[in-house]
């Protein structure tokens, strides 16, 4: 059963990792997909083709969600091409890890801008359409690091904790209009980025996880499908940890 049939979803940062997994699973469940990418035109074109082959409308946009004006233009372009927006997934994010004593101001500001300001920009941009429709689902990607912190990631933890506070406030503000806002906090998810860590580092991570494995992009995507669908119609303002029990 295609539980997202007829819905149009925006996914930021979708050409690799978790974002790509979400885009593909959404298309498999019948959702039309508009996605952003920063630089890889080739990867974006490939993803666009892969999604279209699943029988849905799909289009990639080179756009920086951390830029307020670009975010607004992107949403306007999506509305012109797709006609509507039902789901927003704020997935774009970066890391610039370092101990606080070595962390420069620029590295702090950039992570906050890309990981947190982008969520504000995109939510502002889709709000008018969702208010008019009197429905919508906003899903913001945080991290277990935003819940518990992590040494060497003060900037990243601050940005991801900020996403949680922002989302809970939006859920309270927009709930009366049937617009839901929830957070997913992934744990250790095996992607192209984590593959560079090496086998021993990955084993150290997975040994500490109750389910004894890293997560996959599809594990996160499954939670997104649920929160985007009408199956979660009475869920808002919540943080769902997709972490194999890491924070238990």
């Amino acid at each position: 059963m295609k539980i997202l049939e007829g819905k149009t979803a925006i996914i930021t940062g979708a050409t690799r990792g978790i974002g790509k997994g979400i885009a593909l699973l959404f298309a498999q469940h019948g959702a039309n997909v508009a996605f952003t990418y920063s630089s890889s035109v080739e990867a974006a074109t490939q993803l666009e083709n892969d999604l279209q082959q699943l029988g849905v409308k799909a289009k990639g946009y080179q756009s920086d969600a951390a830029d307020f004006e670009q975010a607004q233009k992107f949403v306007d372009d999506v509305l012109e091409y797709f006609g509507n927006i039902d789901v927003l997934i704020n997935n774009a994010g970066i890391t610039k890890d370092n101990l606080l004593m070595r962390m420069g101001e620029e590295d702090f500001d950039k992570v906050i801008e890309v990981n947190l300001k982008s969520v504000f920009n995109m939510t502002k941009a889709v709000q008018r359409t969702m208010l008019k429709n009197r429905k919508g689902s906003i899903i913001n990607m945080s991290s277990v690091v935003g819940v518990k912190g992590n040494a060497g990631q003060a900037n990243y933890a601050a940005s991801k904790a900020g996403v949680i506070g922002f989302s809970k406030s939006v859920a309270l503000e927009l709930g009366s209009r049937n617009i839901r806002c929830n957070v997913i906090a992934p744990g250790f998810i095996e992607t192209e980025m984590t593959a560079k860590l090496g086998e021993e580092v990955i084993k150290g991570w997975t040994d500490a996880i109750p389910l004894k494995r890293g997560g996959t992009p599809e594990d996160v995507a499954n939670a997104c499908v649920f929160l985007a669908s009408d199956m979660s119609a009475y869920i808002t303002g919540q943080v769902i940890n997709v972490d194999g029990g890491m924070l238990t």
Side-chain angles (χ1 to χ4, degrees), residues 128-157:
R128 183 180 299 173
T129 299
M130 290 186 174
L131 284 170
K132 190 174 72 177
N133 292 341
R134 295 190 72 86
K135 64 175 182 176
S137 176
I138 300 167
I139 303 165
N140 295 326
M141 210 58 65
S142 180
S143 166
V144 293
V145 173
V147 178
K148 70 180 286 291
N150 195 32
Q153 288 193 303
N155 50 359
Y156 186 73

Side-chain angles (χ1 to χ4, degrees), residues 46-76:
Q46 182 62 57
L47 179 60
E48 203 175 88
N49 291 337
D50 291 345
L51 296 173
Q52 288 170 353
Q53 284 177 13
L54 291 167
V56 299
K57 281 179 78 172
K59 189 170 171 59
Y61 298 82
Q62 190 163 14
S63 179
D64 180 7
D67 182 288
F68 187 85
E69 297 301 328
Q70 283 191 48
Q72 187 62 64
K73 184 182 185 308
F74 164 55
V75 168
D76 289 343

Side-chain angles (χ1 to χ4, degrees), residues 183-234:
V183 178
I184 290 176
F188 183 73
I189 307 299
E190 295 182 1
T191 64
E192 299 96 319
M193 285 174 68
T194 60
K196 298 171 186 172
L197 295 174
E199 282 184 31
E200 283 191 24
V201 175
I202 291 174
K203 187 176 186 302
W205 273 95
T206 54
D207 283 350
I209 296 169
L211 289 183
K212 300 301 177 191
R213 68 172 179 88
T216 66
E218 191 174 20
D219 289 322
V220 180
N222 282 329
C224 287
V225 167
F226 171 66
L227 290 175
S229 77
D230 296 337
M231 292 173 69
S232 59
Y234 200 52

Side-chain angles (χ1 to χ4, degrees), residues 33-248:
V33 176
F35 66 90
T36 67
Y37 63 97
S38 55
S39 57
S40 181
V41 177
E42 190 177 326
T45 303
Q46 182 62 57
L47 179 60
E48 203 175 88
N49 291 337
D50 291 345
L51 296 173
Q52 288 170 353
Q53 284 177 13
L54 291 167
V56 299
K57 281 179 78 172
K59 189 170 171 59
Y61 298 82
Q62 190 163 14
S63 179
D64 180 7
D67 182 288
F68 187 85
E69 297 301 328
Q70 283 191 48
Q72 187 62 64
K73 184 182 185 308
F74 164 55
V75 168
D76 289 343
D77 290 346
V78 170
L79 285 170
E80 188 177 333
Y81 185 77
F82 290 88
N84 199 18
I85 298 165
D86 302 285
V87 182
L88 166 64
I89 299 179
N90 284 305
N91 168 73
I94 60 168
T95 56
K96 289 184 177 291
D97 298 347
N98 220 328
L99 293 174
L100 182 59
M101 66 176 68
R102 298 196 188 107
M103 188 180 292
E105 181 185 15
E106 188 179 327
D107 283 352
F108 186 87
D109 288 348
K110 188 64 178 176
V111 170
I112 294 293
E113 181 186 340
V114 173
N115 295 4
L116 181 56
K117 176 82 186 314
S118 65
V119 177
F120 165 78
N121 291 344
M122 290 300 302
T123 305
K124 280 279 285 187
V126 303
Q127 180 180 340
R128 183 180 299 173
T129 299
M130 290 186 174
L131 284 170
K132 190 174 72 177
N133 292 341
R134 295 190 72 86
K135 64 175 182 176
S137 176
I138 300 167
I139 303 165
N140 295 326
M141 210 58 65
S142 180
S143 166
V144 293
V145 173
V147 178
K148 70 180 286 291
N150 195 32
Q153 288 193 303
N155 50 359
Y156 186 73
S159 70
K160 293 301 188 177
V163 166
I164 293 172
F166 177 84
S167 302
K168 286 180 176 288
S169 299
V170 169
L172 292 170
E173 283 188 30
L174 302 183
S176 63
R177 303 296 182 92
N178 196 34
I179 299 167
R180 300 180 295 109
C181 186
N182 291 289
V183 178
I184 290 176
F188 183 73
I189 307 299
E190 295 182 1
T191 64
E192 299 96 319
M193 285 174 68
T194 60
K196 298 171 186 172
L197 295 174
E199 282 184 31
E200 283 191 24
V201 175
I202 291 174
K203 187 176 186 302
W205 273 95
T206 54
D207 283 350
I209 296 169
L211 289 183
K212 300 301 177 191
R213 68 172 179 88
T216 66
E218 191 174 20
D219 289 322
V220 180
N222 282 329
C224 287
V225 167
F226 171 66
L227 290 175
S229 77
D230 296 337
M231 292 173 69
S232 59
Y234 200 52
I235 298 174
T236 194
Q238 303 306 305
V239 181
I240 297 179
N241 297 336
V242 182
D243 65 0
M246 186 187 289
L247 295 190
T248 301

